[in-house]
């Protein structure tokens, strides 16, 4: 084959690929979209996703289904999405823990190759205590924990999950020694916290909001540097421990190599859903701050978080036993 013919066929090949991608994007979506949530029903990610799915379905004109695939620190659900066709019909809604897992587990997918679609919201974690604990605020907690090293127990949803990492950061910032109690999920830890079997726990604001309203748990502090509008009387931990700052985020991802036109259509639909006044008000009531980062900005945040957690986990010798 002559060089001229080779170049002509190569150009034709690129043209056909480009045309196919634009055609698929122009007719997208033409069938139901599935959003995978890699956590159990009822958690923060699940609540947000179900609110969005209804809005997206009306906007896109197709069903938008939510499927919970919990397990293995969100790896099971993420793996299903990562190995799906890069056509926009299977996407993932997850939280910042997706940038932690590569440094703790041997994963069946390459996290860095996933396609960021949109960062939806940011949310501080909330430190809550049992009503049976011998302290009622942050200063009392720190004083008590220093007087009785290791006596204060703090539950989490698993080693390496954000509540666990927030607890590690709290120990480092305050100089106290806590007893970590690791659970397989947040449901069991919350039950034990209400029952007084453990003293403390970190979690998202939405996951504890009902217990706070029912006065079965006591909110001690939020992990952002400012107070949360949904809980204005609850101090930020940084008011007592300057510099303490740990924000969770929730965002959408698509499989590796998902074409940009499809990513853009998903982003635009989610943006329109987030712009809905009733949805925005509901998210704010849950203590969530709408960030709505576009794919390019979210990609930068995603890459920076991968670097941050790699160092944090190495520096604190955090390992899955």
């Amino acid at each position: 084959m002559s060089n001229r013919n080779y170049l002509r066929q190569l150009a034709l090949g690129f043209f056909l690929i480009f045309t196919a991608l634009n055609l698929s994007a122009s007719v997208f979506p033409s069938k139901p979209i599935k959003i995978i949530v890699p956590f159990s029903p009822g958690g923060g990610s699940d609540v947000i996703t179900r609110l969005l799915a209804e809005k997206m379905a009306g906007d896109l004109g197709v069903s938008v289904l939510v499927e919970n695939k919990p397990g293995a620190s969100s790896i099971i659900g993420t793996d299903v999405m990562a190995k799906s066709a890069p056509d926009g019909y299977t996407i993932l809604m997850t939280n910042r823990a997706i940038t932690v897992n590569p440094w703790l587990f041997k994963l069946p997918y390459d996290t860095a190759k996933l396609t960021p679609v949109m960062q939806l919201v940011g949310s501080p974690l909330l430190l809550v205590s049992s009503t049976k604990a011998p302290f009622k605020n942050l200063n009392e907690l720190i004083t008590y924990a220093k007087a009785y090293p290791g006596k204060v127990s703090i539950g989490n949803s698993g080693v390496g999950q954000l509540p666990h990492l927030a607890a590690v950061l709290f120990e480092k910032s305050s100089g106290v020694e806590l007893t970590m109690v690791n659970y397989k999920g947040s449901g069991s830890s919350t039950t034990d916290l209400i029952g007084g079997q453990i003293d403390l726990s970190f979690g998202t604001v939405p996951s504890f909001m009902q217990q706070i309203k029912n006065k079965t748990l006591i909110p001690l502090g939020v992990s952002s540097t400012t107070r949360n509008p949904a809980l204005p009387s609850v101090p930020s931990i940084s008011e007592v421990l300057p510099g303490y700052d740990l924000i969770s985020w929730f965002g959408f991802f698509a499989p590796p190599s998902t074409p940009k036109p499809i990513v853009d259509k998903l982003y635009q639909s989610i943006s329109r859903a987030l712009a809905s006044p009733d949805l925005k008000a509901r998210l704010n009531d849950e203590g969530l701050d709408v960030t709505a980062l576009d794919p390019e900005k979210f990609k930068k945040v995603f890459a920076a978080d991968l670097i941050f957690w790699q160092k944090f986990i190495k520096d604190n010798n955090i390992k899955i036993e």
Side-chain angles (χ1 to χ4, degrees), residues 166-227:
V168 172
L169 183 59
F170 187 85
E171 284 186 312
K172 288 175 65 69
S173 301
S174 63
V176 303
E177 179 186 341
L178 304 175
T179 295
M180 303 285 180
V181 183
N182 305 318
Y183 293 81
K184 294 181 179 179
S186 59
S188 298
S189 65
T190 301
T191 299
D192 283 358
L193 185 61
I194 293 172
Q197 282 76 39
I198 56 175
D199 300 307
L200 300 168
S201 187
F202 274 101
T204 61
V205 174
S207 66
F208 288 135
M209 192 64 79
Q210 193 58 52
Q211 289 87 352
I212 291 170
K213 290 178 180 178
N214 294 340
K215 297 184 178 180
T216 54
L217 293 176
I218 300 173
L220 300 183
V222 292
S223 65
S224 52
T225 56
T226 58
R227 296 193 178 198

Side-chain angles (χ1 to χ4, degrees), residues 125-149:
L125 294 179
L126 176 63
L127 179 62
V128 296
S129 71
S130 166
T131 57
K132 300 177 182 179
F135 39 79
K136 304 301 179 186
N137 58 53
L138 286 172
N139 284 315
E140 289 180 5
L141 161 61
I142 293 170
T143 299
Y144 184 87
K146 285 184 175 179
Y148 302 98

Side-chain angles (χ1 to χ4, degrees), residues 94-103 111-112 119 121-122 162 165 245-251 253 293 297-313:
T94 191
N95 64 19
R96 193 179 180 185
I98 194 173
T99 59
V100 176
N101 285 343
W103 318 117
T111 301
Q119 185 193 100
V121 294
L162 289 179
L165 299 177
D245 184 18
L246 180 63
I247 298 294
S248 179
W249 49 250
F250 296 92
F253 291 85
L293 295 187
K297 290 179 181 176
F298 188 26
K299 184 177 181 180
K300 292 178 181 178
V301 170
F302 182 54
D305 267 8
L306 286 170
I307 295 171
F308 172 83
W309 288 121
Q310 181 183 28
K311 184 177 188 302
F312 185 90
I313 289 168

